[in-house]
Amino acid sequence: MAGKLIKVENLKKHFASGMFRKNYIKAVDGVSFEIGRGETFALVGESGCGKSTVGRCVLHLIEPSSGEIYFDGINALNLRGEGLRNFRRRVQIIFQDADGSLNHRMKVSDLVLEPLKVHHLIRGRGEEQVGKLMEMVNLTPDLLNRYPHELSGGQRQRIGIARAVALGPEVIVADEPAASLDLSVQAQMLELMQELQDRFGISYLFISHYLNIVRLMASRMAVMYLGKFVEVGGVKDVFDYPVHPYTRALLSAVPSISMAGRQKRIVLAGEIPSPLNPPAGCRFHSRCPEAREICLEVEPELYEVTGGHLVACHFAR
Ligand SMILES: Nc1ncnc2c1ncn2[C@@H]1O[C@H](COP(=O)(O)OP(=O)(O)OP(=O)(O)O)[C@@H](O)[C@H]1O
Ligand SMILES: [Mg+2]
């Protein structure tokens, strides 16, 4: 794999909260990862663990509280003006719900052309460019004069993907990209994303609740819990040899993954604690079936169990 395209170092995002904005929601609390060219890196974890916040920081949509983000060797957080415009061309997003991201008063042809227009990249009337993009996402030209409400959910999602790839991006943040679609359409959408990756060498930061989809799409992944990574590694390593009790619990909840049903489902006690006041020591201790005294006091660091497979648990060694 060639040089790392995205490098994130000790990223934190704390949101001020409460009436006097004196408390902080530690949405993301020190995560590091890299994404190579043409690679798919996935983030998984329960609702509220900070996945989208990582994505929004990488997209330069919100400013991190601390940490560094490098894109193609450039410090992305310092970008302004032309540098930022260039970044916005090279790093794109696919939304969970294309419907909400499309202007309902614009026709498909204008929607597909919009990103090119914003970046002054339309050639002539842009007909040829629109044609190519429609073909790329397997949509027929007869849809060009329609409005979003005249399309199916799958077609709208394809328009969203066409808009994301219009500028020839190198990285796409895909935040639950197919979650709003039914299973067969979801599968088509994921296939299209893989096809575009093969053709153009796009890197994906792929955010999903669905472990089955992550196994299909990603080559490396991180499991997040309350703003931190608890396990990081190659998808095969994490799925075949999960080490962190949280990862094991997540995997055991997916019947087709839990070693063909041989592993018993691990049901985690209680709710995910609030990121306003995460537990001391290991953040997972309040729900961990294996927690011991040290877990209540000492926060475990990520530790490399085998090449590139890291786990933050006192008992991983
Ligand atoms: N703008 C904001 N202001 C205050 N708190 C926020 C903001 N955005 C996110 N949060 C909080 O940060 C935490 C992480 O949210 P985030 O959306 O990143 O989670 P997520 O893992 O993407 O969840 P989901 O799977 O439900 O999409 C949550 O507690 C959320 O309420
Ligand atoms: Mg989210």
Side-chain angles (χ1 to χ4, degrees), residues 168-273:
E170 288 149 78
V171 178
I172 293 181
V173 175
D175 194 345
E176 304 279 5
S180 61
L181 304 168
D182 72 50
L183 283 179
S184 64
V185 184
Q186 215 178 71
Q188 290 168 13
M189 223 51 62
L190 298 171
E191 207 171 293
L192 172 62
M193 284 179 63
Q194 277 179 326
E195 196 184 301
L196 293 168
Q197 180 171 55
D198 292 344
R199 266 176 87 179
F200 304 112
I202 298 169
S203 307
Y204 290 119
L205 174 59
F206 191 87
I207 298 173
S208 182
H209 277 102
Y210 301 103
L211 289 157
N212 277 324
I213 293 182
V214 166
R215 176 145 77 169
L216 203 70
M217 296 294 286
S219 51
R220 288 190 311 118
M221 65 188 284
V223 181
M224 276 189 92
Y225 188 78
L226 274 180
K228 291 218 159 192
F229 287 176
V230 297
E231 186 153 1
V232 188
V235 164
K236 196 165 165 30
D237 284 342
V238 175
F239 276 81
D240 291 352
Y241 307 102
V243 179
H244 199 284
Y246 180 60
T247 313
R248 283 199 233 132
L250 284 186
L251 290 175
S252 81
V254 185
S256 60
I257 293 175
S258 57
M259 297 194 287
R262 273 182 284 128
Q263 190 185 327
K264 264 180 61 183
R265 169 139 196 207
I266 306 164
V267 180
L268 293 175
E271 291 285 309
I272 189 163

Side-chain angles (χ1 to χ4, degrees), residues 28-81:
V28 178
D29 209 16
V31 306
S32 303
F33 61 93
E34 297 178 335
I35 312 178
R37 279 186 193 276
E39 183 185 49
T40 298
F41 181 75
L43 295 180
V44 307
E46 282 164 294
S47 184
C49 69
K51 305 177 296 294
S52 296
T53 304
V54 171
R56 287 162 68 209
C57 288
V58 168
L59 283 158
H60 220 296
L61 294 178
I62 53 172
E63 200 181 335
S65 307
S66 65
E68 302 293 344
I69 298 173
Y70 295 95
F71 170 64
D72 203 10
I74 306 162
N75 184 335
L77 299 178
N78 291 340
L79 291 173
R80 304 282 178 275

Side-chain angles (χ1 to χ4, degrees), residues 2 12 38 48 64 80 90 103 109 130 163 198 229 237 239 242 259 282 315:
K12 295 188 182 180
R80 304 282 178 275
R90 296 170 72 186
N103 183 337
S109 54
V130 169
R163 283 163 60 87
D198 292 344
F229 287 176
D237 284 342
F239 276 81
M259 297 194 287
C282 174
F315 304 104

